[in-house]
Amino acid sequence: GLSNGAYRVRFSGEGFATEFYDNVLDRYNPYSTDLDTATVLVISNSASISNINASLAGAATISGIVTGSGDLPLAGIDVYIYYGDDWYNREATTDDNGEYLVSDLPSDGYTVKFYDPTGNYLEMQTNIVLSEGAHITNFDVTMGIASKISGMVTGPDGTTPLQNIRARAYRWNGSGWDSVRMVLTDADGCYTIGGLNADNYRIAFTDYLNGNYLDEVYNNAPNLDSGTDVVVPAETTVPGIDASLTAASKI
């Protein structure tokens, strides 16, 4: 059923590492050159090409249990398997017993990241090297309790709550401001940014949906450099980091 043209062939199956012809592993990286380095097969004049064979390597798996303090199993924790800094290869989410399984991984070195989308627990990551067909079990972690920053965002009158305002926490890395975590305000104008380590943060507020209000950094500053540090101790919620946004002009 193929028309004349140039093709590349990909082989995949449960329990095996996916690869392109001829013997090029697919690392599921949208920025990689895996597909580009695969062998090109050209079909012309209704020809058939035979002997496009593959010998698939066994895929590796990682499994384990994620717990909190007191060995409490944590459900809903996202597990990301990174091959590089900018993308993840595979992912899983822990079940009610805190268990997870990530399969169909080619042999290589990876970073395993554990992330709590609720922000109640601190993000964790660790490195692992997987050999062909390895089945790593009991790759367990215990996540620490996270700190949080909370507050309320209102309009210029200081009382009208603003919904869907982006509240983002930044941390100084020595040369610039790193974005750490972001949430949106609810119908009452309230927000809580979780998943934070003990540190100093600056909180920026942005009406990114409508542009009705000017950006602001706590406490009533126009940018991060002139903002006020929010000091966050370990395992603590720091309340009262509020903002009253100024109405924006428009053209």
Side-chain angles (χ1 to χ4, degrees), residues 20 86 101 120 147 173 184:
F20 297 102
D86 300 326
L101 168 66
N120 291 323
S147 293
N173 65 14
L184 298 176

Side-chain angles (χ1 to χ4, degrees), residues 229-243:
D229 281 342
V230 178
V231 181
V232 179
E235 300 183 12
T236 301
T237 296
V238 179
I241 307 303
D242 304 330

Side-chain angles (χ1 to χ4, degrees), residues 9-28 34 53-61 83 89-90 102-108 110 130-135:
V9 179
R10 181 175 180 265
F11 304 93
S12 64
E14 185 175 352
F16 296 96
T18 302
E19 68 177 53
F20 297 102
Y21 182 79
D22 185 17
N23 201 32
V24 177
L25 283 175
D26 181 6
R27 304 191 187 281
Y28 306 95
D34 294 342
N53 304 324
S55 179
L56 301 185
T61 64
Y83 175 71
N89 182 293
R90 281 287 190 261
V102 184
S103 57
D104 294 337
L105 294 167
S107 59
D108 220 311
Y110 295 92
L130 298 177
S131 58
E132 178 183 329
H135 299 291

Side-chain angles (χ1 to χ4, degrees), residues 23-231:
N23 201 32
V24 177
L25 283 175
D26 181 6
R27 304 191 187 281
Y28 306 95
N29 181 354
Y31 308 109
S32 77
T33 58
D34 294 342
L35 179 59
D36 293 336
T37 56
T39 300
V40 176
L41 306 171
V42 178
I43 295 178
S44 60
N45 300 321
S46 301
S48 295
I49 301 176
S50 60
N51 296 319
I52 305 305
N53 304 324
S55 179
L56 301 185
T61 64
I62 304 174
S63 62
I65 300 175
V66 180
T67 56
S69 73
D71 292 329
L72 175 71
L74 300 181
I77 302 298
D78 294 327
V79 184
Y80 299 102
I81 313 296
Y82 285 80
Y83 175 71
D85 294 334
D86 300 326
W87 61 276
Y88 60 89
N89 182 293
R90 281 287 190 261
E91 66 176 293
T93 302
T94 58
D95 61 17
D96 291 341
N97 297 316
E99 298 178 352
Y100 71 93
L101 168 66
V102 184
S103 57
D104 294 337
L105 294 167
S107 59
D108 220 311
Y110 295 92
T111 297
V112 185
K113 180 180 290 187
F114 301 88
Y115 177 84
D116 177 17
T118 69
N120 291 323
Y121 295 90
L122 292 172
E123 178 182 303
M124 293 183 61
Q125 67 179 43
T126 185
N127 297 325
I128 189 172
V129 177
L130 298 177
S131 58
E132 178 183 329
H135 299 291
I136 307 300
T137 59
N138 301 320
F139 199 74
D140 306 335
V141 298
T142 299
M143 302 180 73
I145 297 174
S147 293
K148 300 179 181 181
I149 295 172
S150 66
M152 182 179 182
V153 181
T154 59
D157 59 5
T159 58
T160 303
L162 300 182
Q163 187 176 10
N164 289 326
I165 299 299
R166 180 180 287 168
R168 187 185 296 271
Y170 289 85
R171 182 169 49 194
W172 183 253
N173 65 14
S175 59
W177 294 101
D178 283 337
S179 173
V180 177
R181 199 139 176 168
M182 184 275 295
V183 297
L184 298 176
T185 56
D186 61 19
D188 297 321
C190 298
Y191 75 92
T192 299
I193 303 174
L196 302 177
N197 288 284
D199 210 329
N200 295 336
Y201 297 89
R202 294 194 179 178
I203 309 301
F205 304 96
T206 306
D207 179 15
Y208 79 105
L209 280 179
N210 302 306
N212 292 327
Y213 301 93
L214 296 178
D215 294 353
E216 183 176 308
V217 176
Y218 181 81
N219 185 16
N220 198 31
N223 53 56
L224 287 167
D225 289 334
S226 58
T228 300
D229 281 342
V230 178
V231 181

